[in-house]
Amino acid sequence: MSAKPADATRPRAGGDTKKVHIADTALTRQNWYKHVNWLNVTFILGIPLYGCIQALWVPLQMKTAIWAVIYYFFTGLGITAGYHRLWAHCSYSARLPLRIWLAAVGGGAVEGSIRWWARGHRAHHRYTDTDKDPYSVRKGLLYSHLGWMVMKQNPKRIGRTDISDLNEDPVVQWQHRNYIQTVIAMGLIVPMLVAGLGWGDWWGGFVYAGILRIFFVQQATFCVNSLAHWLGDQPFDDRNSPRDHVITALVTLGEGYHNFHHEFPSDYRNAIEWHQYDPTKWTIWIWKQMGLAYDLKKFRANEIEKGRVQQLQKKIDQKRARLDWGVPLDQLPVMEWDDYVDQAKNGRGLVAIAGVVHDVTDFIKDHPGGKAMINSGIGKDATAMFNGGIYYHSNAAHNLLSTMRVGVIRGGCEVEIWKRAQKEGTTEYVRDETGQRIVRAGEQVTKIPEPIPTADAA
């Protein structure tokens, strides 16, 4: 009898056939070094540290400082206008010379290849603030800024995205295959050559325009992942973490209006107001005038304003919910007219206005018009006197009165108001997102456009 073949699915002696990724194991004193991505630590922390030390012996020349700032903007635009808005979001199209330049200077920022960067960023947008977000701020501000790169991640945990367009882009593929050479050439050699051949400052070009400039560009970009999800306002949507703030915009070449960007990611702009700082947007627009960029995408102003208004309404609804608007009419007990009169005669300060009964007992002494005026309406239909018969009360008075509701009169004037509203085709109630009735200025149920004459009015 022949032996049975080994079961391929059965764990072999000495361990499981499926190796557990280190990121899925607990961090301990014994294995902490295995969790660290030492290559990224070298590029992000080690080399900048070397640059800081080297700067102690390399004086900073003015020409080198100016060149470092210029190259900072070039490589920063390589990320913001290139990696981010062109390739990750396809918010505009670029001619081949501009694409090559952006791929080159973007590599000089040393933040990974276009393909790798855009794939992670698309996952970030698709799975914002979830476990599939590669740099979710929900895991901590420091994690979203640096931790996700210096600590190993299980790539299978990152959300799936479509990068077929990037795989078909020859510029993206060339840069991806030659990324290390691009980093060395554009990150270190080019800035050193310009300073060296230009004014003889080889070491200054290497340290300041090269190493330290890389560090500052990287930290600025990392702020989009961290600071832009932590600091600022949320004028378009507050369900997720992205926020708008001018400080983040200043640091990131205009990427700080992140709440807008997450709502309208295919818009080539991050800032839509003329006074907001977005040099990346301005640069893309200039490229269009030069014929280097085209098909600049913008969301319709109508859709942008709809999002802004919806968020404003949500904030107003939340504030409204914290205020006392009185007992809703449909929750008030129904009172017979005779019962209302009897209670008023027995010492309870009740007034009926527009069919709604209010207990003003504790307010009589504080009434601005005096006790006699308010006492004249107790136990009567005071609709006309409250709405101009004696005094045309303010909106604040109607709002205050609503907090004193205790009942509605059966078949009272309120019913007639509802009938009239239906007959005229007007909406009886407007409600907020929680279902609560919205009372706009001057729209309390006790406010009647024209005084209603009654026999009992004082």
Side-chain angles (χ1 to χ4, degrees):
M1 189 174 178
S2 60
K4 294 182 179 179
D7 187 355
T9 62
R10 184 182 303 163
R12 296 182 180 180
D16 196 343
T17 54
K18 283 190 175 181
K19 187 177 180 181
V20 179
H21 194 279
I22 186 64
D24 296 329
T25 64
L27 179 67
T28 65
R29 291 183 179 179
Q30 288 73 33
N31 72 356
W32 67 269
Y33 62 93
K34 296 181 180 179
H35 284 263
V36 177
N37 188 326
W38 291 106
L39 180 63
N40 284 352
V41 168
T42 300
F43 278 111
I44 297 171
L45 299 176
I47 294 178
L49 179 61
Y50 163 78
C52 290
I53 296 172
Q54 192 68 35
L56 297 174
W57 289 275
V58 179
L60 176 60
Q61 297 183 25
M62 179 58 69
K63 291 180 180 179
T64 304
I66 294 173
W67 164 235
V69 171
I70 292 173
Y71 202 55
Y72 168 89
F73 274 88
F74 283 172
T75 52
L77 286 172
I79 298 299
T80 61
Y83 279 39
H84 188 207
R85 303 193 196 185
L86 176 60
W87 281 296
H89 293 297
C90 306
S91 64
Y92 71 100
S93 299
R95 305 293 181 189
L96 183 60
L98 179 57
R99 296 168 71 86
I100 293 173
W101 184 79
L102 287 171
V105 293
V110 194
E111 296 184 17
S113 70
I114 297 167
R115 185 176 180 274
W116 176 86
W117 196 101
R119 181 257 183 273
H121 191 71
R122 288 180 183 182
H124 166 65
H125 270 261
R126 187 177 182 184
Y127 303 100
T128 304
D129 297 338
T130 70
D131 289 337
K132 293 184 178 182
D133 180 351
Y135 28 88
S136 172
V137 77
R138 302 294 186 206
K139 297 179 181 179
L141 188 66
L142 185 59
Y143 177 87
S144 64
H145 190 81
L146 275 177
W148 70 280
M149 286 176 293
V150 299
M151 303 300 289
K152 291 179 180 177
Q153 288 194 74
N154 185 347
K156 294 181 179 179
R157 301 290 183 189
I158 300 174
R160 297 173 65 88
T161 58
D162 178 15
I163 57 170
S164 56
D165 59 318
L166 302 178
N167 292 334
E168 295 170 359
D169 189 323
V171 174
V172 172
Q173 289 305 306
W174 185 91
Q175 195 231 38
H176 187 71
R177 290 193 302 269
N178 300 277
Y179 179 66
I180 297 300
Q181 296 93 314
T182 305
V183 165
I184 295 173
M186 300 303 298
L188 298 172
I189 294 178
V190 167
M192 182 175 64
L193 281 175
V194 171
L197 295 175
W199 48 91
D201 190 13
W202 295 91
W203 270 108
F206 178 74
V207 172
Y208 295 106
I211 293 176
L212 295 184
R213 186 264 321 158
I214 289 173
F215 173 73
F216 284 111
V217 169
Q218 287 177 342
Q219 296 305 310
T221 304
F222 300 161
C223 283
V224 181
N225 303 333
S226 57
L227 204 61
H229 287 260
W230 179 73
L231 177 67
D233 301 321
Q234 296 175 299
F236 297 98
D237 194 356
D238 62 0
R239 291 175 299 172
N240 292 320
S241 61
R243 297 170 180 272
D244 288 0
H245 203 283
V246 64
I247 290 179
T248 318
L250 291 171
V251 171
T252 61
L253 300 185
E255 302 280 68
Y257 301 100
H258 213 50
N259 192 252
F260 172 86
H261 173 63
H262 268 255
E263 280 296 291
F264 311 102
S266 61
D267 197 309
Y268 88 95
R269 309 163 298 172
N270 260 211
I272 57 174
E273 305 296 341
W274 68 268
H275 55 82
Q276 293 176 323
Y277 180 76
D278 188 357
T280 301
K281 172 189 70 176
W282 303 330
T283 304
I284 294 172
W285 183 86
I286 291 172
W287 289 337
K288 180 186 177 183
Q289 311 312 308
M290 297 170 62
L292 294 171
Y294 61 97
D295 191 22
L296 276 58
K297 296 176 183 175
K298 294 168 61 176
F299 262 81
R300 289 189 300 162
N302 182 70
E303 304 310 304
I304 293 173
E305 287 309 306
K306 278 160 64 175
R308 197 197 305 270
V309 168
Q310 286 172 327
Q311 183 62 13
L312 284 172
Q313 186 63 57
K314 184 176 182 179
K315 291 179 179 179
I316 290 172
D317 290 346
Q318 291 170 347
K319 181 174 286 188
R320 179 189 294 110
R322 295 192 291 267
L323 302 176
D324 178 13
W325 296 92
V327 180
L329 295 177
D330 56 4
Q331 296 179 20
L332 291 171
V334 177
M335 300 176 65
E336 300 293 342
W337 178 261
D338 291 342
D339 184 34
Y340 157 68
V341 174
D342 288 342
Q343 290 192 40
K345 288 181 178 179
N346 290 325
R348 194 176 181 191
L350 300 181
V351 293
I353 300 173
V356 183
V357 180
H358 307 81
D359 189 339
V360 297
T361 305
D362 295 332
F363 182 69
I364 294 175
K365 64 180 184 304
D366 298 321
H367 184 234
K371 296 180 181 180
M373 199 71 71
I374 196 169
N375 281 329
S376 66
I378 291 177
K380 301 175 183 178
D381 183 347
T383 305
M385 64 181 293
F386 194 77
N387 282 282
I390 292 181
Y391 183 75
Y392 198 74
H393 284 79
S394 66
N395 184 61
H398 285 274
N399 285 337
L400 178 61
L401 187 66
S402 70
T403 65
M404 304 176 193
R405 297 171 184 160
V406 293
V408 293
I409 300 296
R410 186 184 301 279
C413 183
E414 175 64 18
V415 176
E416 300 306 316
I417 294 171
W418 290 341
K419 286 181 180 178
R420 183 175 63 188
Q422 269 191 329
K423 185 177 179 181
E424 294 174 355
T426 57
T427 304
E428 179 185 324
Y429 286 162
V430 178
R431 298 184 182 275
D432 62 22
E433 62 174 16
T434 65
Q436 298 298 312
R437 181 187 173 206
I438 294 176
V439 180
R440 305 195 190 283
E443 290 187 358
Q444 283 287 3
V445 295
T446 49
K447 190 171 182 65
I448 313 300
E450 296 179 2
I452 298 175
T454 64
D456 291 325

